[in-house]
Amino acid sequence: MGDRWYQEAVVYCLDIDTFADSNADGVGDIPGLISRLDYLARLGVTCLWLHPIHPSPNKDDGYDVTDFYNVDPRFGTLGDFAELLHQASNRGIRIIIDLVVNHTSDEHPWFVSARSSPDSPYRDWYVWADHEPTDRHQGMVFPGEQHETWTYDRTAKSWFYHRFYKYQPDLNFHNPEVRAEIKKIISFWLQLGVAGFRMDAVPFIIELTEPGHPDSPKDFDYLTELRQHVQWRRGDAVLLAEANVEPDELPQFFGDNAGSGNRLHMLFDFMLNGRLMLALARQDPEPVIEALRDTPKLPEGGQWATFLRNHDEIDLSRLTAEQREQVYAQFGPEEHMRIYERGIRRRFAPMLDNDRRRIELAYSLQFSLRGTPVLRYGEEIGMGENLDLHGREAIRTPMQWSYQPNAGFSAAEAEKLVRPVIESGEYGYPTVNVTAQRKDRNSLLSWFERMIRTLREAPEIGSGSTTHIDVPMPAGVLAHRADGATGTMVFLHNLGTEDAVVDLGLLADEAELPIDVLADRSYEELGKMDTVRINGYGYRWIRLRRGPLG
């Protein structure tokens, strides 16, 4: 793996509390996760992204933090976490954690002190207004569940700002003491051994909020400041950020106007994600082609993180209303499958009617596109969702390990589980589990292992350039290529149902010995590449040539 390890990584994201329970209390924990590291290593994972690990009242699944310097006691101790870092490192797996510093819990000692008195040393750590702000009902992140962004606090006798729920008061980034504290938090976890952070809600962290100004200015220089701090503390640490903003604003998160990559290393590619969903819904690759064409140029070292499912809803807010309805019609046709007037709260397998061909096609496409792939736990075995659970919790059910009670997740009584396992039906754990798929060489899990191994043998996918191959194509077929110092890969994906023949003869002169390294079936030899066949819902990864470093 190259010096910029994150460009060639395979990231796996999970919630500790729903992954593996070692002490039968019904909640997943760090020792349980340690016991499953060999599974993740075999899958091919090189980086774990852990959702919030800190103490929390858990009103928002841990995103309401009460202590940034500790581990939620439900998960274990700091000693357990240090052991996790050690054991993961032994298997070649780095760990990044959520950095949730846009806000705290209203039970955090800082806020408890801040609201107690105007003279509190923490009063100015939060954002206050003496009078009701005119933008009180603007800028809500959770439409339908959240009705304001300013709330009056009777104890403080003042209004406080909360971009998210009212029990998550925003920190005041005007205050240099707040900025200094966040650097201490970062330093603490880097010193312990984490490889970086997934930064939550970055556009709001750099927002210098003023009452009555819903479009407050953003201080991008603060990201430069954080990047410098991180690199001095651990040179290979990475900042992976969530910033679902307009395309023309994205380059500023990577670097300043001079073109240097002096801010964030990575951003989740929300624009591509929406386009992927639209392409799959239409069975037409054009939205993906548009996304590749319109991608802002990144500075040296900048990288996208691609995903199909993450821990939140599938966010379709960057699509037009008409496009959004097309995706809803295919993947979220019922109202209870949707959330926040913009997204879908379902797992990927049920969205595609558990059609193995389409699941493979979708993940083959994601993993072959430019950027670093991120995989949500359970997707590799085709887990389903529980739409009876509230909101985003629908896709946060316990990992399904085996045929044992509670899917092998926990030995606790079912009623004590942090969240119910999926027990019956097409996605119930007696049907969908790791043990069953481990025994089956043709299982989805076995396919993911092969696909990820193939990806790791083709580093040009993550660290090279990706371009659309602009030649006449049958309806539904996408052709793209990845070029780098290690060689060239060519990819074909047929989003339609009809078999097709593609003429890639223009690439023949570049080819050394073109060969399929991953495909939906065995195809005939490529020859002059002028009659390349591909099945409906088919895919082909073709090694065109190896470079001097390949």
Side-chain angles (χ1 to χ4, degrees), residues 475-510:
V477 178
L478 170 67
H480 69 282
R481 60 186 289 169
D483 294 274
T486 51
T488 297
M489 292 282 289
V490 171
F491 308 94
L492 287 177
H493 291 86
N494 187 352
L495 279 63
T497 58
E498 300 296 321
D499 296 355
V501 178
V502 177
D503 183 356
L504 293 177
L506 82 165
L507 302 177
D509 289 342
E510 297 182 54

mmCIF file of all heavy atoms in Angstrom, residues 475-510:
data_model
loop_
_atom_site.group_PDB
_atom_site.id
_atom_site.type_symbol
_atom_site.label_atom_id
_atom_site.label_comp_id
_atom_site.label_asym_id
_atom_site.label_seq_id
_atom_site.Cartn_x
_atom_site.Cartn_y
_atom_site.Cartn_z
ATOM 1 N N ALA A 475 -27.483 0.280 -25.174
ATOM 2 C CA ALA A 475 -28.268 0.882 -24.089
ATOM 3 C C ALA A 475 -27.962 0.179 -22.772
ATOM 4 O O ALA A 475 -27.909 -1.052 -22.702
ATOM 5 C CB ALA A 475 -29.754 0.786 -24.405
ATOM 6 N N GLY A 476 -27.730 0.975 -21.728
ATOM 7 C CA GLY A 476 -27.540 0.420 -20.396
ATOM 8 C C GLY A 476 -26.109 0.106 -20.023
ATOM 9 O O GLY A 476 -25.834 -0.219 -18.866
ATOM 10 N N VAL A 477 -25.171 0.184 -20.967
ATOM 11 C CA VAL A 477 -23.797 -0.248 -20.699
ATOM 12 C C VAL A 477 -22.888 0.946 -20.419
ATOM 13 O O VAL A 477 -22.900 1.930 -21.155
ATOM 14 C CB VAL A 477 -23.237 -1.075 -21.868
ATOM 15 C CG1 VAL A 477 -21.788 -1.478 -21.589
ATOM 16 C CG2 VAL A 477 -24.093 -2.317 -22.106
ATOM 17 N N LEU A 478 -22.097 0.821 -19.363
ATOM 18 C CA LEU A 478 -21.097 1.818 -18.993
ATOM 19 C C LEU A 478 -19.707 1.199 -19.145
ATOM 20 O O LEU A 478 -19.463 0.094 -18.662
ATOM 21 C CB LEU A 478 -21.294 2.272 -17.548
ATOM 22 C CG LEU A 478 -20.179 3.138 -16.940
ATOM 23 C CD1 LEU A 478 -20.107 4.494 -17.618
ATOM 24 C CD2 LEU A 478 -20.378 3.312 -15.431
ATOM 25 N N ALA A 479 -18.811 1.912 -19.780
ATOM 26 C CA ALA A 479 -17.409 1.506 -19.858
ATOM 27 C C ALA A 479 -16.546 2.616 -19.274
ATOM 28 O O ALA A 479 -16.699 3.780 -19.634
ATOM 29 C CB ALA A 479 -17.004 1.240 -21.309
ATOM 30 N N HIS A 480 -15.671 2.254 -18.344
ATOM 31 C CA HIS A 480 -14.732 3.234 -17.814
ATOM 32 C C HIS A 480 -13.401 2.560 -17.550
ATOM 33 O O HIS A 480 -13.287 1.328 -17.594
ATOM 34 C CB HIS A 480 -15.283 3.930 -16.566
ATOM 35 C CG HIS A 480 -15.406 3.062 -15.350
ATOM 36 N ND1 HIS A 480 -16.440 2.163 -15.169
ATOM 37 C CD2 HIS A 480 -14.629 2.956 -14.236
ATOM 38 C CE1 HIS A 480 -16.317 1.562 -14.007
ATOM 39 N NE2 HIS A 480 -15.217 2.004 -13.429
ATOM 40 N N ARG A 481 -12.386 3.359 -17.294
ATOM 41 C CA ARG A 481 -11.041 2.830 -17.104
ATOM 42 C C ARG A 481 -10.361 3.518 -15.938
ATOM 43 O O ARG A 481 -10.689 4.659 -15.574
ATOM 44 C CB ARG A 481 -10.211 3.002 -18.373
ATOM 45 C CG ARG A 481 -10.042 4.429 -18.822
ATOM 46 C CD ARG A 481 -9.332 4.512 -20.176
ATOM 47 N NE ARG A 481 -7.910 4.141 -20.064
ATOM 48 C CZ ARG A 481 -7.124 3.918 -21.103
ATOM 49 N NH1 ARG A 481 -7.624 3.978 -22.336
ATOM 50 N NH2 ARG A 481 -5.848 3.615 -20.944
ATOM 51 N N ALA A 482 -9.407 2.816 -15.338
ATOM 52 C CA ALA A 482 -8.570 3.361 -14.274
ATOM 53 C C ALA A 482 -7.124 3.228 -14.708
ATOM 54 O O ALA A 482 -6.689 2.131 -15.103
ATOM 55 C CB ALA A 482 -8.804 2.612 -12.971
ATOM 56 N N ASP A 483 -6.385 4.321 -14.658
ATOM 57 C CA ASP A 483 -4.991 4.344 -15.083
ATOM 58 C C ASP A 483 -4.109 4.843 -13.949
ATOM 59 O O ASP A 483 -4.439 5.840 -13.285
ATOM 60 C CB ASP A 483 -4.817 5.269 -16.293
ATOM 61 C CG ASP A 483 -5.531 4.768 -17.525
ATOM 62 O OD1 ASP A 483 -4.943 3.965 -18.264
ATOM 63 O OD2 ASP A 483 -6.696 5.182 -17.740
ATOM 64 N N GLY A 484 -2.987 4.160 -13.741
ATOM 65 C CA GLY A 484 -2.045 4.576 -12.722
ATOM 66 C C GLY A 484 -0.686 3.954 -12.964
ATOM 67 O O GLY A 484 -0.470 3.248 -13.969
ATOM 68 N N ALA A 485 0.224 4.206 -12.039
ATOM 69 C CA ALA A 485 1.575 3.674 -12.182
ATOM 70 C C ALA A 485 1.599 2.152 -12.177
ATOM 71 O O ALA A 485 2.538 1.537 -12.699
ATOM 72 C CB ALA A 485 2.463 4.219 -11.058
ATOM 73 N N THR A 486 0.574 1.542 -11.599
ATOM 74 C CA THR A 486 0.529 0.077 -11.519
ATOM 75 C C THR A 486 -0.132 -0.554 -12.732
ATOM 76 O O THR A 486 -0.201 -1.782 -12.822
ATOM 77 C CB THR A 486 -0.218 -0.354 -10.240
ATOM 78 O OG1 THR A 486 -1.481 0.331 -10.181
ATOM 79 C CG2 THR A 486 0.593 -0.026 -9.008
ATOM 80 N N GLY A 487 -0.660 0.254 -13.652
ATOM 81 C CA GLY A 487 -1.247 -0.298 -14.863
ATOM 82 C C GLY A 487 -2.596 0.295 -15.193
ATOM 83 O O GLY A 487 -2.955 1.380 -14.713
ATOM 84 N N THR A 488 -3.357 -0.436 -16.010
ATOM 85 C CA THR A 488 -4.667 0.025 -16.478
ATOM 86 C C THR A 488 -5.691 -1.089 -16.347
ATOM 87 O O THR A 488 -5.437 -2.229 -16.737
ATOM 88 C CB THR A 488 -4.599 0.475 -17.948
ATOM 89 O OG1 THR A 488 -3.716 1.593 -18.068
ATOM 90 C CG2 THR A 488 -5.978 0.877 -18.463
ATOM 91 N N MET A 489 -6.836 -0.722 -15.794
ATOM 92 C CA MET A 489 -7.981 -1.618 -15.727
ATOM 93 C C MET A 489 -9.115 -1.012 -16.544
ATOM 94 O O MET A 489 -9.289 0.214 -16.577
ATOM 95 C CB MET A 489 -8.450 -1.800 -14.287
ATOM 96 C CG MET A 489 -7.478 -2.545 -13.395
ATOM 97 S SD MET A 489 -7.504 -4.325 -13.645
ATOM 98 C CE MET A 489 -9.104 -4.727 -12.937
ATOM 99 N N VAL A 490 -9.891 -1.860 -17.199
ATOM 100 C CA VAL A 490 -11.081 -1.445 -17.934
ATOM 101 C C VAL A 490 -12.281 -2.157 -17.320
ATOM 102 O O VAL A 490 -12.197 -3.339 -16.961
ATOM 103 C CB VAL A 490 -10.957 -1.792 -19.434
ATOM 104 C CG1 VAL A 490 -12.280 -1.561 -20.156
ATOM 105 C CG2 VAL A 490 -9.865 -0.952 -20.075
ATOM 106 N N PHE A 491 -13.392 -1.422 -17.204
ATOM 107 C CA PHE A 491 -14.580 -1.981 -16.550
ATOM 108 C C PHE A 491 -15.799 -1.826 -17.443
ATOM 109 O O PHE A 491 -16.015 -0.759 -18.033
ATOM 110 C CB PHE A 491 -14.853 -1.261 -15.229
ATOM 111 C CG PHE A 491 -13.660 -1.206 -14.319
ATOM 112 C CD1 PHE A 491 -12.806 -0.106 -14.334
ATOM 113 C CD2 PHE A 491 -13.374 -2.254 -13.464
ATOM 114 C CE1 PHE A 491 -11.696 -0.054 -13.511
ATOM 115 C CE2 PHE A 491 -12.268 -2.212 -12.636
ATOM 116 C CZ PHE A 491 -11.431 -1.114 -12.656
ATOM 117 N N LEU A 492 -16.586 -2.877 -17.526
ATOM 118 C CA LEU A 492 -17.874 -2.842 -18.202
ATOM 119 C C LEU A 492 -18.961 -3.198 -17.198
ATOM 120 O O LEU A 492 -18.832 -4.168 -16.442
ATOM 121 C CB LEU A 492 -17.916 -3.842 -19.354
ATOM 122 C CG LEU A 492 -17.120 -3.522 -20.614
ATOM 123 C CD1 LEU A 492 -17.236 -4.682 -21.607
ATOM 124 C CD2 LEU A 492 -17.622 -2.229 -21.259
ATOM 125 N N HIS A 493 -20.031 -2.411 -17.197
ATOM 126 C CA HIS A 493 -21.191 -2.696 -16.350
ATOM 127 C C HIS A 493 -22.454 -2.503 -17.183
ATOM 128 O O HIS A 493 -22.625 -1.450 -17.803
ATOM 129 C CB HIS A 493 -21.220 -1.780 -15.129
ATOM 130 C CG HIS A 493 -20.126 -2.078 -14.146
ATOM 131 N ND1 HIS A 493 -18.870 -1.529 -14.254
ATOM 132 C CD2 HIS A 493 -20.113 -2.896 -13.057
ATOM 133 C CE1 HIS A 493 -18.116 -1.983 -13.259
ATOM 134 N NE2 HIS A 493 -18.840 -2.800 -12.521
ATOM 135 N N ASN A 494 -23.290 -3.526 -17.183
ATOM 136 C CA ASN A 494 -24.549 -3.472 -17.933
ATOM 137 C C ASN A 494 -25.686 -3.286 -16.943
ATOM 138 O O ASN A 494 -26.076 -4.219 -16.247
ATOM 139 C CB ASN A 494 -24.733 -4.756 -18.740
ATOM 140 C CG ASN A 494 -25.928 -4.684 -19.674
ATOM 141 O OD1 ASN A 494 -26.713 -3.740 -19.629
ATOM 142 N ND2 ASN A 494 -26.082 -5.689 -20.529
ATOM 143 N N LEU A 495 -26.207 -2.069 -16.874
ATOM 144 C CA LEU A 495 -27.276 -1.757 -15.927
ATOM 145 C C LEU A 495 -28.628 -2.237 -16.427
ATOM 146 O O LEU A 495 -29.614 -2.200 -15.676
ATOM 147 C CB LEU A 495 -27.328 -0.255 -15.648
ATOM 148 C CG LEU A 495 -26.327 0.286 -14.627
ATOM 149 C CD1 LEU A 495 -24.891 0.096 -15.079
ATOM 150 C CD2 LEU A 495 -26.599 1.766 -14.337
ATOM 151 N N GLY A 496 -28.688 -2.662 -17.686
ATOM 152 C CA GLY A 496 -29.942 -3.126 -18.274
ATOM 153 C C GLY A 496 -30.090 -4.633 -18.195
ATOM 154 O O GLY A 496 -29.191 -5.363 -17.774
ATOM 155 N N THR A 497 -31.227 -5.129 -18.669
ATOM 156 C CA THR A 497 -31.543 -6.560 -18.589
ATOM 157 C C THR A 497 -31.106 -7.330 -19.826
ATOM 158 O O THR A 497 -31.014 -8.559 -19.782
ATOM 159 C CB THR A 497 -33.056 -6.749 -18.396
ATOM 160 O OG1 THR A 497 -33.753 -6.133 -19.492
ATOM 161 C CG2 THR A 497 -33.528 -6.120 -17.098
ATOM 162 N N GLU A 498 -30.847 -6.632 -20.937
ATOM 163 C CA GLU A 498 -30.528 -7.302 -22.191
ATOM 164 C C GLU A 498 -29.027 -7.545 -22.336
ATOM 165 O O GLU A 498 -28.204 -6.672 -22.022
ATOM 166 C CB GLU A 498 -31.005 -6.452 -23.379
ATOM 167 C CG GLU A 498 -32.516 -6.189 -23.396
ATOM 168 C CD GLU A 498 -33.313 -7.469 -23.563
ATOM 169 O OE1 GLU A 498 -32.871 -8.345 -24.342
ATOM 170 O OE2 GLU A 498 -34.369 -7.597 -22.901
ATOM 171 N N ASP A 499 -28.657 -8.741 -22.825
ATOM 172 C CA ASP A 499 -27.257 -9.015 -23.135
ATOM 173 C C ASP A 499 -26.783 -8.047 -24.217
ATOM 174 O O ASP A 499 -27.577 -7.593 -25.053
ATOM 175 C CB ASP A 499 -27.079 -10.453 -23.622
ATOM 176 C CG ASP A 499 -27.427 -11.485 -22.562
ATOM 177 O OD1 ASP A 499 -27.709 -11.076 -21.416
ATOM 178 O OD2 ASP A 499 -27.422 -12.695 -22.868
ATOM 179 N N ALA A 500 -25.497 -7.753 -24.210
ATOM 180 C CA ALA A 500 -24.975 -6.756 -25.146
ATOM 181 C C ALA A 500 -23.591 -7.160 -25.645
ATOM 182 O O ALA A 500 -22.897 -7.989 -25.036
ATOM 183 C CB ALA A 500 -24.915 -5.384 -24.477
ATOM 184 N N VAL A 501 -23.194 -6.551 -26.758
ATOM 185 C CA VAL A 501 -21.854 -6.721 -27.320
ATOM 186 C C VAL A 501 -21.245 -5.320 -27.479
ATOM 187 O O VAL A 501 -21.875 -4.423 -28.046
ATOM 188 C CB VAL A 501 -21.889 -7.447 -28.681
ATOM 189 C CG1 VAL A 501 -20.468 -7.559 -29.244
ATOM 190 C CG2 VAL A 501 -22.520 -8.820 -28.550
ATOM 191 N N VAL A 502 -20.026 -5.171 -26.988
ATOM 192 C CA VAL A 502 -19.371 -3.865 -26.961
ATOM 193 C C VAL A 502 -18.104 -3.921 -27.817
ATOM 194 O O VAL A 502 -17.347 -4.901 -27.761
ATOM 195 C CB VAL A 502 -19.008 -3.472 -25.514
ATOM 196 C CG1 VAL A 502 -18.261 -2.145 -25.477
ATOM 197 C CG2 VAL A 502 -20.271 -3.403 -24.653
ATOM 198 N N ASP A 503 -17.881 -2.864 -28.577
ATOM 199 C CA ASP A 503 -16.667 -2.759 -29.377
ATOM 200 C C ASP A 503 -15.662 -1.866 -28.649
ATOM 201 O O ASP A 503 -15.821 -0.648 -28.595
ATOM 202 C CB ASP A 503 -17.003 -2.176 -30.750
ATOM 203 C CG ASP A 503 -15.779 -2.093 -31.672
ATOM 204 O OD1 ASP A 503 -14.667 -2.417 -31.212
ATOM 205 O OD2 ASP A 503 -15.943 -1.691 -32.844
ATOM 206 N N LEU A 504 -14.628 -2.502 -28.086
ATOM 207 C CA LEU A 504 -13.546 -1.777 -27.426
ATOM 208 C C LEU A 504 -12.246 -1.928 -28.203
ATOM 209 O O LEU A 504 -11.150 -1.870 -27.643
ATOM 210 C CB LEU A 504 -13.366 -2.297 -25.989
ATOM 211 C CG LEU A 504 -14.510 -2.024 -25.010
ATOM 212 C CD1 LEU A 504 -14.227 -2.661 -23.665
ATOM 213 C CD2 LEU A 504 -14.756 -0.523 -24.845
ATOM 214 N N GLY A 505 -12.385 -2.113 -29.507
ATOM 215 C CA GLY A 505 -11.222 -2.338 -30.349
ATOM 216 C C GLY A 505 -10.200 -1.220 -30.309
ATOM 217 O O GLY A 505 -9.000 -1.451 -30.523
ATOM 218 N N LEU A 506 -10.635 -0.001 -30.008
ATOM 219 C CA LEU A 506 -9.698 1.127 -29.951
ATOM 220 C C LEU A 506 -8.672 0.959 -28.833
ATOM 221 O O LEU A 506 -7.637 1.645 -28.821
ATOM 222 C CB LEU A 506 -10.446 2.445 -29.774
ATOM 223 C CG LEU A 506 -10.892 2.840 -28.361
ATOM 224 C CD1 LEU A 506 -11.272 4.309 -28.324
ATOM 225 C CD2 LEU A 506 -12.000 1.972 -27.846
ATOM 226 N N LEU A 507 -8.934 0.044 -27.870
ATOM 227 C CA LEU A 507 -8.011 -0.180 -26.768
ATOM 228 C C LEU A 507 -7.006 -1.287 -27.061
ATOM 229 O O LEU A 507 -6.085 -1.523 -26.270
ATOM 230 C CB LEU A 507 -8.783 -0.534 -25.486
ATOM 231 C CG LEU A 507 -9.814 0.472 -24.987
ATOM 232 C CD1 LEU A 507 -10.518 -0.072 -23.755
ATOM 233 C CD2 LEU A 507 -9.159 1.812 -24.678
ATOM 234 N N ALA A 508 -7.187 -1.977 -28.176
ATOM 235 C CA ALA A 508 -6.375 -3.165 -28.443
ATOM 236 C C ALA A 508 -4.883 -2.853 -28.483
ATOM 237 O O ALA A 508 -4.057 -3.651 -28.017
ATOM 238 C CB ALA A 508 -6.822 -3.810 -29.756
ATOM 239 N N ASP A 509 -4.509 -1.693 -29.039
ATOM 240 C CA ASP A 509 -3.091 -1.357 -29.147
ATOM 241 C C ASP A 509 -2.442 -1.136 -27.780
ATOM 242 O O ASP A 509 -1.227 -1.271 -27.633
ATOM 243 C CB ASP A 509 -2.909 -0.103 -30.010
ATOM 244 C CG ASP A 509 -3.199 -0.375 -31.486
ATOM 245 O OD1 ASP A 509 -3.207 -1.559 -31.876
ATOM 246 O OD2 ASP A 509 -3.427 0.596 -32.229
ATOM 247 N N GLU A 510 -3.250 -0.764 -26.782
ATOM 248 C CA GLU A 510 -2.716 -0.553 -25.434
ATOM 249 C C GLU A 510 -2.576 -1.862 -24.659
ATOM 250 O O GLU A 510 -1.833 -1.930 -23.685
ATOM 251 C CB GLU A 510 -3.647 0.368 -24.624
ATOM 252 C CG GLU A 510 -3.804 1.764 -25.144
ATOM 253 C CD GLU A 510 -4.706 2.569 -24.224
ATOM 254 O OE1 GLU A 510 -4.428 2.623 -23.006
ATOM 255 O OE2 GLU A 510 -5.719 3.119 -24.708
#
